[in-house]
Amino acid sequence: MGYAGINYSSPALGSAFSSLIPAFTFVLALLFRMEKLAIRSSSSQAKIIGTVVSIAGALVVTLYKGPPIISTPPASITLHRPLGSPHSDWVIGSLFLTVEFMLVPMWYIVQTQIMKEYPAELTVVFFYNLCVSVLAAIVGIFTEPNASAWRIKADIGLVSILCSGFFGSFLDNAVNTWVLKVKGPLYVAMFKPLSIVIAVVMGVLFLGDTLYLGSIIGAAIISVGFYTVMWGKAKEAVDESGEIGDPESTSNPKVPLLQNYLTQEPRS
């Protein structure tokens, strides 16, 4: 869905839609009771405000350039990117991108539940990649009947396959799965807008891209929203630990086992 959406629209539109992942994740996490929402609670207010601010910052980075701040000479190797696609259709592209970035939060929710039932990150990632490989092979055979397209040569194509396999399918999924188990889906989704800022910085440092004012403003807004959500999550954890540690709340199911045992009447 994502690749087809970018093909029909543009990478800029794909980046703009990716900034909506925290919002979709937050809504789904509330529906599945993985996140708590109390309007009068400062931690809930911080999570809501931080999510909205991060999305706004990501949209600024994606849609607003402004005057150039740092302009570097082009590198010796230039990647020629087509400005348009022969299959350009922004309506269809937007539809594909919307479906993709609604499926990503749903996958975070499902994966978090899987880790609760089966907390073995590498095993889950192995079977995940195995299923993806089988499904991609079946789809690829029918959509790409040209045998020459399947030949792998010792060029940049092979490098991209190895890098995406190691850093994307293995390392990225393994880290995401572990963090989903420890912190939950909203925590992982909040790093999506931050990745846009990292991509801009790396583009300036390694690809000679021009740094624009909009990128700096958007990065600052994303940072404020990101740390606001992190503060809300930290305060929520402190509040929950305080409630768990309260000796008067003997009806709490999270009371330590020894304390619960001591409060029970001795058997006759």
Side-chain angles (χ1 to χ4, degrees):
M1 290 291 181
Y3 290 138
I6 292 175
N7 184 42
Y8 278 102
S9 57
S10 70
L13 188 63
S15 299
F17 271 81
S18 68
S19 63
L20 300 178
I21 290 180
F24 289 149
T25 306
F26 188 55
V27 173
L28 290 175
L30 290 176
L31 293 177
F32 288 95
R33 298 181 180 180
M34 293 183 175
E35 289 289 336
K36 297 180 179 179
L37 180 62
I39 301 300
R40 297 183 179 180
S41 173
S42 58
S43 60
S44 296
Q45 293 175 357
K47 290 190 295 184
I48 295 174
I49 295 174
T51 302
V52 174
V53 171
S54 296
I55 294 173
L59 292 176
V60 170
V61 173
T62 306
L63 303 178
Y64 173 70
K65 282 189 175 182
I69 303 298
I70 299 178
S71 182
T72 57
S76 57
I77 300 177
T78 305
L79 299 178
H80 298 282
R81 306 174 203 172
L83 297 178
S85 170
H87 307 288
S88 180
D89 191 327
W90 281 66
V91 176
I92 298 178
S94 300
L95 179 61
F96 281 144
L97 291 173
T98 301
V99 174
E100 180 204 6
F101 293 116
M102 289 183 66
L103 290 175
V104 170
M106 291 178 64
W107 167 234
Y108 286 162
I109 299 296
V110 172
Q111 198 171 12
T112 302
Q113 188 62 35
I114 291 174
M115 296 313 301
K116 290 181 180 180
E117 302 293 335
Y118 190 77
E121 297 87 354
L122 295 181
T123 305
V124 172
V125 171
F126 169 77
F127 283 107
Y128 164 79
N129 288 327
L130 179 62
C131 294
V132 169
S133 300
V134 173
L135 292 175
I138 295 174
V139 175
I141 290 174
F142 287 99
T143 58
E144 186 57 69
N146 185 11
S148 61
W150 292 88
R151 297 176 183 172
I152 301 177
K153 301 179 181 179
D155 53 9
I156 191 64
L158 178 60
V159 175
S160 64
I161 292 174
L162 295 177
C163 288
S164 62
F166 179 77
F167 292 106
S169 299
F170 170 67
L171 189 61
D172 178 63
N173 286 325
V175 173
N176 273 348
T177 304
W178 178 75
V179 178
L180 283 171
K181 182 183 73 173
V182 176
K183 290 294 187 179
L186 180 61
Y187 190 91
V188 175
M190 283 307 304
F191 282 83
K192 289 297 181 179
L194 193 63
S195 65
I196 300 177
V197 180
I198 296 174
V200 171
V201 174
M202 295 186 67
V204 173
L205 295 178
F206 298 103
L207 299 179
D209 293 343
T210 301
L211 179 63
Y212 293 94
L213 178 63
S215 299
I216 298 178
I217 297 176
I221 297 175
I222 290 175
S223 300
V224 172
F226 176 78
Y227 285 110
T228 302
V229 175
M230 294 300 103
W231 178 86
K233 296 285 289 182
K235 190 176 187 305
E236 185 179 63
V238 171
D239 294 341
E240 290 179 353
S241 62
E243 293 175 359
I244 294 174
D246 188 1
E248 298 180 358
S249 59
T250 56
S251 62
N252 194 326
K254 296 183 179 180
V255 172
L257 179 60
L258 180 59
Q259 179 181 331
N260 193 24
Y261 174 78
L262 292 176
T263 57
Q264 295 177 355
E265 296 182 359
R267 296 180 180 179
S268 57

